[in-house]
Amino acid sequence: MLKHKIIGLDVGSRTVGIAISDLMGWTAQGLDTLQINEEENQLGIETLIDIIKKENVGTVVIGLPKNMNNTIGFRGEASLKYKEALAEQMPELEIVMWDERLSTMAAERSLLEADVSRQKRKKVIDKMAAVFILQGYLDRIN
């Protein structure tokens, strides 16, 4: 059993999908989607910190979107900046970057297979991508 829960983040330019582990550290569930504005540097860090404290989170796994050739592009840089902003506010937190190249595609595919409407998909895709990111990490550590 974990002492602290783990959350996974799928960082976009307008939203951050959040998933959380169970106390055993086996499964990831979608928790929330934060509305952010990257251009105006409104990253929702305060709200995220509230969630981290309320849920007793010890580790944050942030999806790092790499290009297929393993380089880090614009979105990857944005995820790294997000990590820095969070680490500045909570230096005691363990923050792990996780290669998430296929998580959004996997989330989209599973929603399509479940026949979720396009409008509903848009609402939950970030949270689902966060679930895929976190589940990949949990599977690796277990």
Side-chain angles (χ1 to χ4, degrees):
M1 184 153 357
L2 298 169
K3 290 192 292 284
H4 302 285
K5 291 181 187 171
I6 302 170
I7 61 173
L9 303 179
D10 178 52
V11 179
S13 58
R14 293 192 302 275
T15 59
V16 177
I18 305 173
I20 191 160
S21 73
D22 63 333
L23 273 171
M24 303 300 283
W26 291 344
T27 61
Q29 296 93 26
L31 183 67
D32 206 351
T33 303
L34 291 182
Q35 300 302 313
I36 66 168
N37 186 332
E38 201 176 66
E39 279 178 21
E40 293 176 19
N41 208 30
Q42 295 166 348
L43 302 177
I45 298 289
E46 301 76 21
T47 307
L48 183 59
I49 289 171
D50 290 343
I51 292 169
I52 288 168
K53 289 178 178 169
K54 188 179 122 212
E55 296 288 346
N56 194 24
V57 170
T59 303
V60 175
V61 179
I62 300 176
L64 179 63
K66 291 183 175 179
N67 298 322
M68 283 304 170
N69 66 2
N70 218 24
T71 59
I72 294 176
F74 177 73
R75 286 303 332 144
E77 293 291 339
S79 289
L80 290 168
K81 279 192 187 114
Y82 200 88
K83 174 194 177 186
E84 286 166 21
L86 181 58
E88 231 169 71
Q89 298 289 316
M90 294 194 82
E92 72 282 5
L93 199 62
E94 179 188 11
I95 303 176
V96 177
M97 298 307 289
W98 185 256
D99 183 354
E100 60 123 312
R101 270 176 274 203
L102 303 173
S103 62
T104 302
M105 283 167 19
E108 180 84 20
R109 192 167 43 250
S110 71
L111 290 169
L112 283 169
E113 284 169 8
D115 203 26
V116 176
S117 74
R118 177 174 305 213
Q119 205 159 12
K120 279 193 184 144
R121 274 202 311 268
K122 266 180 64 188
K123 284 186 184 147
V124 298
I125 189 75
D126 303 312
K127 198 170 20 177
M128 284 288 294
V131 167
F132 276 88
I133 290 164
L134 181 54
Q135 193 64 57
Y137 175 78
L138 293 173
D139 292 348
R140 167 73 57 81
I141 64 170
N142 289 321

